[in-house]
């Protein structure tokens, strides 16, 4: 027997529900976290609607912040009481991708997709049946036993738990897509397509990078208003006007960030690029989606399309840096957390996510 905990669990056919679970102690190279907060991300929802294939029954949650309560054999870098942010990408630290500074492309990432890297789980339901864990984490639970390769030790002093939690996915992914993947130069013209948790942070990233123009595009008036607060210089409501025409009227952009996950939107966003412009695909589109572009426009105008996963993060370096930017008043986190929920209110948090009611909803424990 391990620790009794409440968790948000998805079973085949749904609904997303709160369930009591048992979390076994850590094995070799694992730690058990007591979660303080976990953000509610679109990717969690994607695992329940077929966009991302992660076999249920599944404990959701990957945007977690907590503290170490137990360490397994062989763990050197963590001790009881350490503050930890979870990394939904496993970083083995040893493969060619990791050693060349691209841990977001770790060759072993898939080993911690719905289980821990050894293919087993530490989580079981009330009947003793094993429960898979989202990205090797299952952080939407009072306790989670995870591999150290998915953990980032941080100094979270003075940061509210809900604000710290969102750094591990939404903030890292959005800001990183601008600063790490695209390396946007000061004075650039930027457009961000889709203003969920990731898109709003791409806007913040563009501010940090010194972009001169930041055009925010969405269909939700509240999110457009929020983008203004986060530093967008112009907004386009794609429900009210032709998005491509509206963006082009403001001036074609050097960098576009597609933060929805839609083949159609990728095709549209590409049309907004200036010569030499780069479109970064950040959103995770359903596998059946296709995007189109004319090769001649790419050749003659030297345009580029590239992907970004986890903001091309080097989480052990970048995440502490983001927390430091917050402390210095240069990164907005508290303003992003528009509602917190108890673990019992978890299902409500997902309803609100689907309805687009929050900039970010966070479960606090
Ligand atoms: Zn996420
Ligand atoms: Zn690796």
């Amino acid at each position: 027997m391990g620790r009794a905990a409440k968790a948000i669990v998805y079973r085949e056919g749904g609904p997303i529900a709160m369930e009591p679970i048992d979390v076994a102690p850590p094995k070799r190279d694992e730690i058990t976290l007591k979660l303080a907060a976990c953000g509610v991300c679109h990717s969690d929802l994607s695992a329940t609607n077929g966009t991302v294939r992660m076999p249920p029954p599944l404990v959701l949650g990957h945007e977690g912040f907590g503290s170490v309560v137990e360490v397994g054999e062989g763990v050197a870098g963590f001790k009881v009481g350490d503050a930890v942010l979870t990394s939904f990408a496993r970083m083995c630290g040893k493969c060619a991708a990791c050693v060349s500074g691209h841990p977001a492309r770790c060759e072993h990432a898939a080993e911690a997709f719905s289980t821990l890297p050894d293919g087993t789980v530490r989580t079981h339901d009330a009947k003793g049946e094993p429960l898979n864990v989202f990205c090797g984490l299952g952080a939407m639970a009072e306790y989670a036993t995870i591999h150290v390769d998915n953990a980032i030790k941080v100094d979270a002093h003075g940061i509210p738990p809900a604000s710290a939690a969102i750094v591990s996915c939404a903030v890292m992914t959005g800001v990183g897509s601008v600063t790490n993947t695209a390396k946007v130069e000061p004075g650039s013209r930027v457009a961000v397509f889709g203003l969920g948790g990731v898109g709003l942070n791409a806007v913040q990233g563009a501010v940090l990078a010194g972009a001169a123009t930041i055009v925010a595009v969405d269909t939700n008036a509240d999110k457009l208003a929020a983008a203004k607060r986060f530093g967008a210089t112009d907004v386009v409501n794609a429900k009210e006007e032709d998005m491509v025409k509206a963006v082009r009227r403001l001036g074609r952009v050097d960098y576009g960030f597609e933060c929805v996950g839609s083949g159609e939107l990728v095709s549209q966003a590409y049309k907004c690029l200036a010569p030499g412009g780069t479109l970064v695909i950040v959103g995770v589109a359903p596998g059946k989606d296709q995007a189109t572009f004319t090769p001649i426009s790419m050749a003659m105008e030297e345009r580029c399309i590239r992907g970004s996963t986890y903001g091309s993060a080097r989480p052990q370096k970048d995440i502490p840096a983001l927390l430091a930017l917050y402390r210095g008043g240069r990164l907005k986190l508290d303003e992003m957390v528009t509602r917190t929920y108890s673990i019992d209110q978890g299902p409500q948090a997902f309803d609100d996510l689907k309805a687009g009611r929050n900039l970010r909803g966070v479960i606090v424990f």
Side-chain angles (χ1 to χ4, degrees), residues 14-41:
I16 294 166
M18 196 285 290
E19 275 192 36
I21 64 166
D22 180 85
V23 180
K27 293 190 176 176
R28 186 169 185 83
D29 294 329
E30 295 172 2
I31 54 177
T32 298
L33 299 181
K34 183 179 198 301
L35 276 302
C38 183
V40 185
C41 176

Side-chain angles (χ1 to χ4, degrees), residues 91-95 98 106-108:
M91 311 156 282
C92 79
K94 298 179 186 78
C95 73
C98 281
C106 176
E107 293 166 17
H108 298 282

Side-chain angles (χ1 to χ4, degrees), residues 188-190 203 207 211-216 227-236 250:
S188 300
R189 303 182 58 84
V190 169
V203 170
V207 173
T213 306
I214 305 169
V215 184
K228 278 267 187 186
R229 297 196 297 277
F230 282 86
T233 57
D234 300 273
V235 296
V236 170
L250 291 162

Side-chain angles (χ1 to χ4, degrees), residues 25-302:
K27 293 190 176 176
R28 186 169 185 83
D29 294 329
E30 295 172 2
I31 54 177
T32 298
L33 299 181
K34 183 179 198 301
L35 276 302
C38 183
V40 185
C41 176
H42 250 282
S43 301
D44 292 302
L45 196 59
S46 294
T48 72
N49 63 19
T51 305
V52 173
R53 299 212 168 275
M54 222 174 266
L58 180 72
V59 180
L60 298 174
H62 58 285
E63 200 174 73
F65 169 68
S67 58
V68 178
V69 290
E70 196 171 347
V71 297
E73 201 188 319
V75 173
F78 296 87
K79 60 181 191 308
V80 171
D82 282 348
V84 165
L85 278 171
T86 59
S87 168
F88 69 81
R90 182 189 176 202
M91 311 156 282
C92 79
K94 298 179 186 78
C95 73
C98 281
V99 298
S100 65
H102 302 288
R105 303 176 198 159
C106 176
E107 293 166 17
H108 298 282
E111 291 164 17
F113 189 57
S114 58
T115 65
L116 299 191
D118 71 357
T120 67
V121 291
R122 308 289 163 261
T123 47
H124 294 83
D125 68 11
K127 291 183 188 141
E129 298 296 322
L131 297 167
N132 285 332
V133 281
F134 190 108
C135 282
L137 296 169
M140 230 169 253
E142 290 166 318
Y143 291 96
T145 295
I146 68 172
H147 195 279
V148 289
D149 290 352
N150 290 83
I152 303 138
K153 190 155 113 175
V154 293
D155 171 8
H157 191 77
I159 304 184
S163 299
I166 63 171
V167 174
S168 81
C169 176
V171 179
M172 183 69 252
T173 303
V175 173
S177 69
V178 176
T179 59
N180 287 343
T181 311
K183 297 188 172 68
V184 167
E185 306 90 352
S188 300
R189 303 182 58 84
V190 169
V192 177
F193 302 88
L195 302 171
V198 171
L200 282 172
N201 280 294
V203 170
Q204 292 216 81
V207 173
L208 287 168
T213 306
I214 305 169
V215 184
V217 183
D218 203 286
T219 54
N220 179 322
D222 292 341
K223 305 228 162 161
L224 290 167
K228 278 267 187 186
R229 297 196 297 277
F230 282 86
T233 57
D234 300 273
V235 296
V236 170
N237 189 330
K239 206 152 87 183
E240 290 169 359
E241 52 189 330
D242 183 307
M243 181 192 91
V244 176
K245 278 190 190 148
V247 174
R248 290 179 70 128
R249 195 162 52 236
L250 291 162
R252 294 202 279 167
V253 297
D254 304 310
Y255 296 95
F257 295 87
E258 196 275 351
C259 300
V260 173
S262 154
E264 174 60 25
L265 184 58
V266 166
S267 307
Q268 300 279 308
Y270 176 78
K271 293 178 184 165
C272 299
L273 293 180
T278 298
L279 176 65
V280 182
I281 301 176
V282 185
V284 180
K288 63 174 172 40
D289 272 30
Q290 305 270 313
T292 55
F293 65 94
T294 54
I296 189 173
S297 66
M298 204 174 215
M300 299 303 289
E301 294 197 338
E302 297 194 326

Side-chain angles (χ1 to χ4, degrees), residues 261-351:
S262 154
E264 174 60 25
L265 184 58
V266 166
S267 307
Q268 300 279 308
Y270 176 78
K271 293 178 184 165
C272 299
L273 293 180
T278 298
L279 176 65
V280 182
I281 301 176
V282 185
V284 180
K288 63 174 172 40
D289 272 30
Q290 305 270 313
T292 55
F293 65 94
T294 54
I296 189 173
S297 66
M298 204 174 215
M300 299 303 289
E301 294 197 338
E302 297 194 326
R303 297 196 217 176
C304 173
I305 302 177
R306 65 164 305 172
S308 175
T309 184
Y310 203 3
S312 305
R314 292 108 355 137
Q316 309 288 8
K317 167 181 178 287
D318 294 341
I319 284 181
L322 289 168
L323 295 174
L325 282 169
Y326 166 84
R327 281 200 197 84
R330 297 177 62 200
L331 185 73
K332 292 182 169 66
L333 299 178
D334 304 337
E335 296 85 344
M336 187 88 46
V337 179
T338 39
R339 187 168 168 193
T340 58
Y341 303 82
S342 69
I343 185 80
D344 297 293
Q345 294 170 320
Q348 175 66 41
F350 278 92
D351 288 343

